Amino acid sequence: MSGILKRLAAEDLETVKGLLYVSDEGQVGVREDYHHHTDWKQVQERLLEILGPDGSILYRNEKLGDRTIGGAPFAGEGEHGYSGRSARMSDGTPIVLISRKYDLQGRTILIRVGYNQDLIWNQLKETLLVLLLASPLVLAGTAYAGYKMVGRTLSPVSKMAHRAEQINSERLDERLPIENPEDELGHLARVFNAMLSRIEQSFEQLQRFTADASHELRTPLAAIRSIGEVRLQEDARPEEYRDTIGSMLEEVNRLSGIVESLLTLSRADAGQIRMQVSVFPLKALVREAAALLEVLIDDKRVTFTLTGDETVGAEADRLYIRQAVINILHNAVKFTPPGGSISAHVECSSDSRVELSVSDSGPGISAEHAGKVFERFYRADEARTGDDMGAGLGLSIARWAVEANDGEIGMTNLPGAGAKFWIRLPAVGCPSDRGSSQ
Amino acid sequence: MMSLRPRRVRTRLTLMYVAMLGGVLAVYFAGVSVLLFWQ
């Protein structure tokens, strides 16, 4: 007998017991006028039989009619708690029978409650049938609700796709909408927006580079043309023609320098330049670069000093690092006033790299321009575009050369006046514990 | 051969939900039925 049925039967038996009475004639009955009792209707549905200790039938309810349930009581039936068993009524109907003995006003009675098994089975079948019939409705409802819910969940994707369709090279400032920055779709939108920002930045850089390059190439060409045109407007002596051609060649040289720098940066961007790494003494390289600029240094009467460790070597591509050092020194010479000084120093840095610092006594660079000096075609003073000012590509090339060799480059303003440019490169000969020993 | 897999993610997710619920209901019905008939 299941726990559910046993509990149900126990409740029924207790209810029946509570409704029993003994009439003056000694007859046992159930108070049927007790209709407002909440359990009465329930008890009416049961098969109820009350027996005396000798097996005589004291009461049977209307549902049972003339039939008997279970026959005479067996020994010990209902004496120790509830007795339950499957049985058949007198007309053969299968039932589940629960019984228990009670004491009613000094008389021992046996209350039996029967449950029609067919009814139980039919109820179960009906319940399962209802569940099965309801299933398609539940599934249809779920499908509808799920479709709506998924649509709502995916709506940010539709909005993002709609917005993305509108983004082109003319509208790179547009961004994907972010409804909830915390969820996965918000994260996706943020990642795409970051990517769009990078693309926009690159696009702007490319446009600026193209415009700057055109401008820089046009300036010497215009100079060559104007020099030539002016000279052709009047007759001149051979010496004057020679001067004109010399001036034109100077502009051609400047043009060649710009084109060569652009070609270097273009090849660097395309990844076509392979570094030939070797170990070389950095101080000797700086001395060699300074020798190349000796004419300019002497021309401006600038004092150049080189100090530092002679033995420390850099592990990098010598050719491109040489170009970077020349560009940095050339930059220092350009911005150092006549009679000023430039000092270069080579030493091991605290992170066991070799560091070259070049300090000048020029005007320094304002904080506004300091972060941009390594950008292509960037000049701190746009008004100064003379022959000695260059095209603004030297430091860009220096940065590329240093970073391509796993190095770092930077600048700081010196207290008072002047600027200090520094590069750090992988070193050979620097003590690895130098940083901890200091 | 035409694939029966729906093209739209929305439809696929809906079908997945319904299939999951159907599966859960089927297991639930089977469990309830076995329990009730066994008792």
Side-chain angles (χ1 to χ4, degrees), chain A residues 39-109:
Chain A
D39 296 328
W40 173 244
K41 190 173 184 304
Q42 188 181 327
V43 171
Q44 275 188 316
E45 296 295 316
R46 312 290 184 237
L47 300 165
L48 177 63
E49 189 177 69
I50 300 170
L51 305 174
D54 56 349
S56 59
I57 296 172
L58 301 177
Y59 175 83
R60 60 174 59 158
N61 70 350
E62 285 179 12
K63 190 89 175 174
L64 190 58
D66 296 332
R67 296 171 296 181
T68 58
I69 50 175
F74 60 86
E77 181 179 350
E79 281 184 1
H80 308 290
Y82 301 100
S83 297
R85 67 182 194 274
S86 294
R88 282 186 182 276
M89 294 204 306
S90 54
D91 63 350
T93 306
I95 58 167
V96 174
L97 181 61
I98 315 292
S99 55
R100 185 166 184 184
K101 276 189 177 167
Y102 288 98
D103 184 69
L104 181 68
Q105 296 172 5
R107 296 177 64 182
T108 302
I109 58 168

Side-chain angles (χ1 to χ4, degrees), chain A residues 117-356:
Chain A
Q117 285 192 12
D118 286 341
L119 286 176
I120 295 171
W121 283 111
N122 286 340
Q123 270 193 334
L124 283 177
K125 284 173 186 169
E126 278 177 18
T127 306
L128 289 175
L129 189 64
V130 168
L131 286 174
L132 282 174
L133 289 176
S135 295
L137 289 174
V138 171
L139 290 177
T142 306
Y144 178 76
Y147 191 73
K148 289 285 177 191
M149 193 175 71
V150 171
R152 197 170 164 179
T153 307
L154 292 178
S155 69
V157 177
S158 306
K159 288 176 186 169
M160 281 193 276
H162 182 68
R163 182 68 65 82
E165 281 174 346
Q166 298 171 345
I167 297 174
N168 53 29
S169 60
E170 307 295 321
R171 301 176 64 178
L172 273 176
D173 57 331
E174 293 266 359
R175 293 291 178 269
L176 301 183
I178 301 174
E179 290 196 358
N180 180 4
E182 304 301 324
D183 67 6
E184 289 83 352
L185 294 178
H187 182 229
L188 181 71
R190 275 190 288 126
V191 169
F192 270 111
N193 283 343
M195 185 185 74
L196 281 171
S197 297
R198 290 195 296 274
I199 290 173
E200 184 186 14
Q201 202 178 356
S202 301
F203 210 76
E204 281 177 3
Q205 210 171 1
L206 194 65
Q207 282 179 326
R208 199 167 59 238
F209 182 77
T210 308
D212 288 342
S214 305
H215 175 76
E216 290 300 326
L217 292 173
R218 197 175 55 191
T219 306
L221 281 173
I224 293 168
R225 184 179 176 179
S226 59
I227 292 168
E229 280 176 350
V230 168
R231 179 53 63 208
L232 284 176
Q233 280 175 0
E234 55 190 25
D235 291 333
R237 296 191 303 276
E239 296 80 32
E240 290 172 330
Y241 281 120
R242 196 172 290 114
D243 287 345
T244 302
I245 292 169
S247 299
M248 291 169 85
L249 281 177
E250 277 179 19
E251 293 299 326
V252 168
N253 284 338
R254 186 162 172 242
L255 203 57
S256 299
I258 294 170
V259 170
E260 200 171 320
S261 298
L262 285 173
L263 198 61
T264 303
L265 287 171
S266 165
R267 287 172 61 206
D269 287 346
Q272 292 176 349
I273 298 178
R274 296 275 175 272
M275 293 295 145
Q276 305 291 325
V277 178
S278 60
V279 177
F280 54 90
L282 187 58
K283 193 174 176 186
L285 181 78
V286 177
R287 190 178 293 114
E288 182 184 324
L292 282 174
L293 299 169
E294 195 175 357
V295 177
L296 291 175
I297 293 170
D298 291 345
D299 195 39
K300 290 184 88 172
R301 301 184 311 282
V302 171
T303 309
F304 176 76
T305 52
L306 174 62
T307 55
D309 196 336
E310 195 79 47
T311 59
V312 176
E315 190 174 13
D317 187 307
R318 192 180 189 283
L319 186 67
Y320 288 107
I321 294 301
R322 179 174 175 270
Q323 185 63 51
V325 172
I326 290 171
N327 290 353
I328 290 171
L329 287 176
H330 193 190
N331 188 67
V333 173
K334 275 189 290 189
F335 288 98
T336 301
S341 65
I342 297 170
S343 63
H345 183 69
V346 177
E347 64 176 358
C348 288
S349 63
S350 58
D351 56 351
S352 298
R353 302 185 124 203
V354 59
E355 178 178 304
L356 163 67

Side-chain angles (χ1 to χ4, degrees), chain B residues 9-23:
Chain B
V9 175
R10 187 178 183 180
T11 312
R12 288 210 295 269
L13 283 174
T14 304
L15 287 177
M16 193 182 76
Y17 288 158
V18 172
M20 282 181 65
L21 182 71

